[in-house]
C-alpha cells in the first residue's frame, strides 16, 4: 500500500497527539502510536484526580504528545521523497511527489506548534514563579 507523505504530515499535525500518523504508517502494532494514545486517558485521570491544580500541569503528558506530533509532522514533511519511498513505499511501485500543499502544511504546522510551545512555556513560568497570578 502506498503511504502518502502529505497525508501522513497532515495526520501528525492534526491528530498527532493521538498517534494517528503512527498507526497510518506502521499499523496497529506500533508502540509509539499506543504511547501517544495512552497520554489521553492518563491526562484525563490526572485532571479528575488532580483537584485544584492547574490543568496545564495535569494534562502535561497530552500536551507533550501534541507538541511531539507537530515535531513529527515537520520531520515527515522534510524527508526527501526518495528516502520516504525507500522507507514506506518500497513495494508499492509508485513514487511520491511532494508539492505546494505539503509546503503550506509545514508552514502552518511550524507556526501553530511554535505558538503552542511558547504559550506553554509562558504559562509554566507563570505557574512556577507567580503561582498563576496572571491568569
Amino acid at each position: 500500500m502506498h503511504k502518502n507523505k502529505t497525508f501522513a504530515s497532515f495526520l501528525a499535525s492534526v491528530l498527532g497527539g493521538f498517534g494517528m500518523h503512527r498507526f497510518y504508517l506502521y499499523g496497529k502494532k506500533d508502540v509509539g502510536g499506543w504511547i501517544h494514545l495512552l497520554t489521553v486517558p492518563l491526562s484525563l485521570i490526572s485532571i479528575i484526580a488532580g483537584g485544584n491544580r492547574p490543568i496545564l500541569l495535569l494534562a502535561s503528558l497530552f500536551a507533550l504528545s501534541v507538541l511531539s506530533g507537530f515535531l513529527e509532522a515537520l520531520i515527515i514533511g522534510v524527508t526527501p521523497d526518495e528516502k520516504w519511498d525507500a522507507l514506506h513505499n518500497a513495494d508499492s511501485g509508485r513514487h511520491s511527489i511532494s508539492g505546494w500543499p505539503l509546503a503550506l502544511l509545514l508552514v502552518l504546522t511550524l507556526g501553530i506548534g511554535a505558538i503552542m510551545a511558547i504559550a506553554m512555556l509562558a504559562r509554566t513560568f507563570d505557574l512556577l514563579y507567580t503561582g498563576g497570578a496572571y491568569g
Side-chain angles (χ1 to χ4, degrees):
M1 181 173 143
H2 184 78
K3 306 284 181 151
N4 188 320
K5 185 167 82 166
T6 303
F7 184 65
S9 294
F10 176 76
L11 283 176
S13 294
V14 176
L15 298 171
F18 300 102
M20 293 302 133
H21 60 292
R22 303 229 13 132
F23 293 127
Y24 171 70
L25 293 175
Y26 305 110
K28 291 186 235 180
K29 294 183 180 181
D30 181 56
V31 175
W34 287 108
I35 290 172
H36 276 288
L37 200 56
L38 185 63
T39 63
V40 177
L42 289 177
S43 293
L44 287 174
I45 290 169
S46 180
I47 289 169
I48 292 169
N52 204 12
R53 294 193 179 126
I55 289 183
L56 177 63
L57 175 67
L58 299 173
S60 60
L61 284 176
F62 182 65
L64 288 174
S65 181
V66 170
L67 288 175
S68 69
F70 282 125
L71 183 62
E72 288 178 84
L74 294 172
I75 291 170
I76 291 169
V78 299
T79 303
D81 288 342
E82 297 80 25
K83 186 175 179 181
W84 176 262
D85 286 335
L87 287 172
H88 299 285
N89 296 322
D91 298 332
S92 75
R94 294 172 51 194
H95 298 287
S96 297
I97 302 172
S98 300
W100 283 105
L102 179 61
L104 293 173
L105 177 65
L106 292 179
V107 168
L108 287 172
T109 299
L110 181 63
I112 293 169
I115 289 169
M116 284 183 59
I118 291 168
M120 282 184 57
L121 283 172
R123 181 65 177 150
T124 301
F125 278 101
D126 173 41
L127 291 172
L128 290 174
Y129 294 115
T130 69
Y134 296 105

